[in-house]
């Protein structure tokens, strides 16, 4: 019985590690890599507050000062909390391949032209 168990154990070990190697090789091409996801998570956790002036500026430019100071403030607070929570999620799961949760990747990217968007599903 011991002689039939050893080849089975070797075969199952090879199958397990070959699938792990395939996943590790494709991780860099799927979504963010480990280092990038960790950097995005740290930056987004800390700079979520930058969404407040960004949203206020964009709403003021689009619809006027009154709208920017009221709706822009509330939108910025909401987006800031969302960006910070997405950063915490990226920090906690940086070793799992996933698409980014927030677009643009950092709060300061496309600061005047692109409003923050959150992905509908976490893939």
């Amino acid at each position: 019985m011991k002689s039939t168990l050893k080849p089975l154990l070797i075969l199952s070990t090879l199958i397990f590690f070959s699938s792990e190697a395939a996943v590790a090789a494709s991780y860099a091409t799927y979504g963010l890599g480990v280092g990038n996801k960790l950097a995005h998570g740290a930056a987004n956790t800390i700079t979520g507050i930058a969404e407040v002036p960004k949203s206020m500026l964009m709403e003021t430019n689009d619809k006027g000062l009154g709208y920017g100071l009221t709706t822009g403030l509330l939108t910025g607070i909401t987006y800031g909390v969302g960006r910070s929570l997405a950063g915490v999620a990226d920090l906690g799961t940086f070793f799992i391949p996933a698409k980014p949760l927030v677009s643009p990747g950092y709060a300061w990217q496309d600061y005047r032209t692109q409003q923050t968007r959150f992905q509908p599903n976490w893939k």
Side-chain angles (χ1 to χ4, degrees), residues 2 8 12 17 21 29 32 37 47 50 65-66 70 74 78 82 91 101 104-105 110 114:
K2 288 183 180 181
L8 184 61
S12 64
F17 284 116
T29 60
L32 298 173
K37 190 171 179 185
T47 63
L65 183 61
T70 55
L74 295 175
T78 304
L91 278 176
L101 295 173
D110 299 326
Q114 185 178 3

Side-chain angles (χ1 to χ4, degrees), residues 54 57-58 61-62 104 108-117:
K54 175 183 175 179
L57 178 68
M58 291 184 72
N61 289 340
D62 287 346
W108 59 84
Q109 287 179 324
D110 299 326
Y111 195 80
R112 295 177 184 234
T113 59
Q114 185 178 3
Q115 188 63 273
T116 300
R117 294 186 316 263

Side-chain angles (χ1 to χ4, degrees), residues 66-77:
Y67 200 80
L69 292 176
T70 55
T71 305
L73 176 67
L74 295 175
T75 303
I77 291 170

